[in-house]
Amino acid sequence: MNILVPLNNYEYCTDYINAGAKEFYLGFYDNEWNEKFGTYSDINRMSGYGKAANKNSFKEILNIISEIKNKKADIYITFNSSMYSDNELEFIERYFKKLVNTNVDGVILSCHEAIKIAKNIGLPVVVSTIAGIYNSDIVNFYKEIGAKRVILPRDLSILEIESIVGKDKEMEYEIFIMRNGCKFSDS
């Protein structure tokens, strides 16, 4: 089992690693995205909160990726809005093309069109809990379009998780211990 930690503040990275964290995920803000699409259109479901939710710009996370990899940890970048327009997908593809040249371990996505783009570019894909993976058929769908890992919704019981995982042990699975107070915040 790996501990995956949201990296809201890079200065604590070494402390997290010393406490056992092996993987991190990170969102970003981008003023150019906001100028083009407005603050109502999310890159990663938290972009509307600006720097309060995502403290780093895209340029800054490119440096953070390198620093995390130097610490021998894994890093994933979130793009987990449930849908994007065609224009937004074209813009996101530009981010993906820059990320593929880093050692990033993958991108966290919910939008199946974005998953296909990431796979075609060569970025490993983790499917966000926002995608609503409630059974093994949904796992299979995402596996077929290129996912390496899926994040199961937090409202599943242990028995439901065992049932899903038992049908495809090759897929990587992730579950939240706790993220926020509302178990119905996703999918």
Side-chain angles (χ1 to χ4, degrees), residues 36-163:
K36 185 164 181 70
F37 302 111
T39 56
Y40 57 86
S41 181
D42 281 340
I43 300 169
N44 57 31
R45 239 182 113 211
M46 296 295 214
S47 354
Y49 295 103
K51 292 181 183 181
N54 297 299
K55 300 189 183 324
N56 301 291
S57 69
F58 185 73
K59 184 177 179 180
E60 290 168 327
I61 68 160
L62 295 175
N63 292 328
I64 291 171
I65 291 167
S66 177
E67 292 175 27
I68 296 289
K69 297 311 292 179
N70 286 338
K71 294 179 183 295
K72 307 294 186 224
D74 293 345
I75 181 77
Y76 297 87
I77 307 302
T78 61
F79 291 87
N80 58 352
S81 183
S82 57
M83 59 186 272
Y84 299 105
S85 70
D86 289 341
N87 290 337
E88 291 169 336
L89 286 167
E90 287 177 21
F91 207 87
I92 284 173
E93 187 172 3
R94 291 195 278 169
Y95 296 127
F96 289 175
K97 286 179 178 176
K98 291 177 182 174
L99 285 172
V100 82
N101 294 320
T102 69
N103 287 326
V104 71
D105 294 283
V107 288
I108 300 174
L109 304 167
S110 295
C111 173
H112 71 275
E113 293 92 351
I115 293 169
K116 291 175 184 177
I117 293 168
K119 182 180 185 267
N120 288 340
I121 290 174
L123 280 173
V125 172
V126 176
V127 180
S128 172
T129 185
I130 297 164
I133 301 166
Y134 284 98
N135 60 52
S136 58
D137 290 334
I138 300 171
V139 171
N140 191 49
F141 168 77
Y142 284 111
K143 184 177 181 179
E144 286 178 5
I145 65 171
K148 77 170 198 163
R149 178 189 291 182
V150 296
I151 307 170
L152 299 176
R154 66 196 83 210
D155 58 320
L156 290 175
S157 70
I158 298 294
L159 289 175
E160 290 168 321
I161 293 169
E162 287 176 346
S163 174

Side-chain angles (χ1 to χ4, degrees), residues 9-24:
N9 191 333
Y10 180 75
E11 78 178 62
Y12 299 117
C13 182
T14 300
D15 294 334
Y16 293 140
I17 290 171
N18 290 340
K22 296 179 182 178
E23 299 181 345
F24 297 92

